[in-house]
């Protein structure tokens, strides 16, 4: 079904920005958690779309057909998680989530690198068995282990922590999204063994309402 962007009985000023998402997407979840953390739930409408589907409701707005995609009332559609977070940061009064300080920018990039790798690994596992690439899977397993080991040290040293006022940044949101994804949609990855700091971090992050409100459905992988 195609989403209608200009209902005839509404003026453009009444139409809210629309965030296309899928419930299983960790990238879209980063933005959905940011919307909740920054108290923008009334300002942005969330629309679920299918993916990899010629009928997907996001496709008329973004030829990439990926989520997140944020369609603005005056026309353009923003894609790519970091760019969508940048737009969300320009709304409302709450502290921004995109970091500017070098250490925090580095921390955000590190977990994005983990998420990108897990996404590739997961995509392989969704293929028919005879179409999977063992070498791609092996590479991504090693990458994930390497990054998770680094994160274990980072967290023990105090990275990815809440800031004053319980505010969190994009690195925090992305780490919550990637571990949340591993928990329910990529359980083949045993990220817990030997990583007590990461386990403890995830337990605390899971208690945030924005996390609990955006849980992805289990995928069986
Ligand atoms: N680089 C993009 C990645 C987004 C992405 O890959 N989203 C996945 C869902 S987790 C998607 O829409 N996949 C559909 C497809 O590949 O056609 C971002 O940062 O937002």
């Amino acid at each position: 079904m195609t989403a209608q962007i200009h209902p005839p009985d509404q003026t453009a000023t009444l139409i809210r920005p629309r965030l296309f998402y899928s419930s299983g997407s960790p990238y879209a979840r980063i933005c959905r958690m940011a919307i909740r953390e920054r108290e923008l739930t009334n300002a942005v409408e969330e629309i679920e779309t299918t993916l990899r589907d010629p009928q997907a409701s996001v496709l008329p707005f973004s030829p990439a057909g990926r989520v997140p995609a944020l369609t603005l009332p005056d026309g353009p559609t923003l894609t790519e998680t970091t760019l969508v977070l940048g737009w969300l940061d320009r709304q409302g009064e709450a502290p921004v989530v995109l970091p500017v300080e070098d250490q925090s920018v580095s921390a955000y990039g590190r977990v994005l690198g983990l998420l990108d790798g897990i996404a590739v690994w997961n995509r392989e596992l969704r293929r028919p068995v005879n179409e999977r690439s063992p070498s791609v899977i092996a590479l991504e397993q090693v990458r994930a282990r390497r990054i998770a080991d680094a994160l274990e040290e980072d967290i023990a040293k105090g990275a990815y922590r809440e800031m004053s006022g319980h505010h969190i940044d994009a690195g925090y949101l992305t780490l919550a999204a990637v571990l949340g994804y591993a928990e329910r949609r990529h359980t083949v990855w045993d990220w817990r063994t030997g990583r007590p700091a990461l386990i403890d971090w995830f337990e605390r992050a899971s208690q945030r309402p924005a996390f609990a409100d955006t849980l992805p459905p289990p995928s069986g992988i």
Side-chain angles (χ1 to χ4, degrees):
M1 195 170 61
T2 303
Q4 197 180 12
I5 186 152
H6 291 304
D9 59 339
Q10 282 182 285
T11 64
T13 53
L14 294 175
I15 299 170
R16 291 182 292 166
R18 293 166 177 199
L19 183 83
F20 288 94
Y21 76 98
S22 73
S23 59
S25 165
Y27 294 95
R29 190 181 186 193
I30 295 167
C31 296
R32 297 179 69 220
M33 288 194 286
I35 285 170
R36 286 156 180 76
E37 294 284 350
R38 301 198 67 256
E39 298 176 359
L40 296 172
T41 47
N42 290 330
V44 179
E45 183 179 0
E46 294 183 349
I47 300 194
E48 189 158 14
T49 178
T50 51
L51 299 175
R52 303 175 203 94
D53 166 15
Q55 303 303 319
S57 57
V58 69
L59 268 179
F61 304 101
S62 170
R66 294 199 186 100
V67 292
L70 181 74
T71 296
L72 300 176
D74 55 358
T77 292
L78 311 187
T79 57
E80 299 296 319
T81 300
T82 302
L83 302 179
V84 173
L85 289 180
W87 185 90
L88 292 173
D89 272 353
R90 296 193 289 280
Q91 318 306 311
E93 304 298 324
V96 299
V97 300
L98 280 183
V100 288
E101 186 263 318
D102 292 343
Q103 203 65 39
S104 303
V105 174
S106 166
Y108 176 40
R110 183 164 286 187
V111 283
L112 273 181
L114 175 59
L115 179 52
D116 284 350
I118 297 284
V120 170
W121 177 2
N122 189 268
R123 190 177 309 140
E124 287 301 314
L125 299 181
R126 279 184 272 125
R127 294 186 207 282
V129 175
N130 65 335
E131 290 180 22
R132 292 178 192 166
S133 164
S135 60
V136 168
I137 292 171
L139 183 82
E140 296 307 340
Q141 284 173 329
V142 171
R143 192 199 316 276
R145 186 185 317 140
R146 216 168 41 218
I147 300 176
D149 285 344
L151 290 173
E152 176 71 13
E153 287 185 23
D154 294 343
I155 286 166
K157 288 184 203 147
Y160 302 97
R161 62 163 68 131
E162 280 183 4
M163 293 163 284
S164 64
H166 299 296
H167 298 305
I168 56 176
D169 73 358
Y172 187 113
L173 290 170
T174 305
L175 183 53
V178 71
L179 295 181
Y181 189 73
E183 188 81 345
R184 289 177 160 240
R185 299 184 67 80
H186 195 73
T187 63
V188 292
W189 183 36
D190 171 24
W191 58 269
R192 285 188 154 86
T193 302
R195 303 197 183 99
L198 214 47
I199 293 172
D200 184 55
W201 185 93
F202 184 61
E203 292 305 316
R204 280 181 282 117
S206 303
Q207 285 158 26
R208 294 187 82 88
F211 184 93
D213 198 37
T214 56
L215 287 177
S219 71
I221 291 179

